[in-house]
Amino acid sequence: MELAVLLEPSRPPKTDKSGILVDAVRVVTQLRGEAQKLKDSNLDLQEKIKELKVEKNELRDEKQRLKSQKEKLEQQLKTMSAQPSFFPPAMPGAFASPVQAAGTKLVPIISYPGVAMWQFMPPAAIDTSQDHVLRPPVA
């Protein structure tokens, strides 16, 4: 009688043994199925946890790699910004003027090969808006 009450507390208890045993077998089978589903779900979750840990480690490694690249780039930027960019690279001795060879002052040399000298010219000389008036095209 106690087993019948435990199996289905909302119904009136069954009095025959076979009915009680059939209900007990049904409940036990149902509980075993639920337990198996929970075990499968647990295994799937454990596998997913392992995959996420691997991904976490990969992301951590990538973060460290990106951080080191960022630091390298920042260092390069600092070194590049420390050097004035408007000066031409150091000239070989054959192209240097006597003043530049002395190293006292940088003098623009218009014929220096490979370096644009427009940055040393006054803005009025660079302005090309009046070229068509000052220098008419030759037909």
Side-chain angles (χ1 to χ4, degrees):
M1 293 305 269
E2 289 179 26
L3 182 58
V5 171
L6 287 175
L7 293 175
E8 296 184 35
S10 60
R11 288 183 161 181
K14 294 183 179 178
T15 55
D16 61 331
K17 290 181 183 180
S18 63
I20 294 172
L21 289 177
V22 168
D23 286 345
V25 168
R26 181 183 49 81
V27 169
V28 168
T29 305
Q30 179 183 1
L31 290 175
R32 283 185 180 167
E34 288 179 20
Q36 187 61 40
K37 286 180 186 177
L38 291 174
K39 285 180 184 178
D40 293 343
S41 175
N42 190 18
L43 289 175
D44 290 343
L45 291 174
Q46 292 293 335
E47 186 65 32
K48 185 146 182 137
I49 287 172
K50 288 178 184 177
E51 291 172 4
L52 289 174
K53 283 182 179 181
V54 169
E55 185 177 352
K56 176 185 170 185
N57 290 335
E58 290 172 354
L59 288 173
R60 181 180 294 137
D61 293 343
E62 184 178 0
K63 178 184 174 185
Q64 290 297 326
R65 190 171 50 253
L66 289 174
K67 189 175 182 181
S68 66
Q69 286 178 351
K70 177 187 167 200
E71 290 172 357
K72 282 169 109 178
L73 290 173
E74 286 176 347
Q75 185 63 31
Q76 288 177 353
L77 181 64
K78 285 180 184 178
T79 58
M80 289 177 67
S81 64
Q83 298 172 351
S85 62
F86 57 87
F87 289 123
M91 288 191 253
F95 295 112
S97 71
V99 176
Q100 287 171 329
T104 58
K105 191 173 183 182
L106 189 63
V107 175
I109 299 175
I110 304 301
S111 64
Y112 182 66
V115 176
M117 292 296 164
W118 59 266
Q119 67 264 28
F120 299 109
M121 299 173 68
I126 298 173
D127 183 20
T128 60
S129 63
Q130 297 297 317
D131 278 358
H132 67 282
V133 175
L134 299 173
R135 296 171 197 90
V138 178

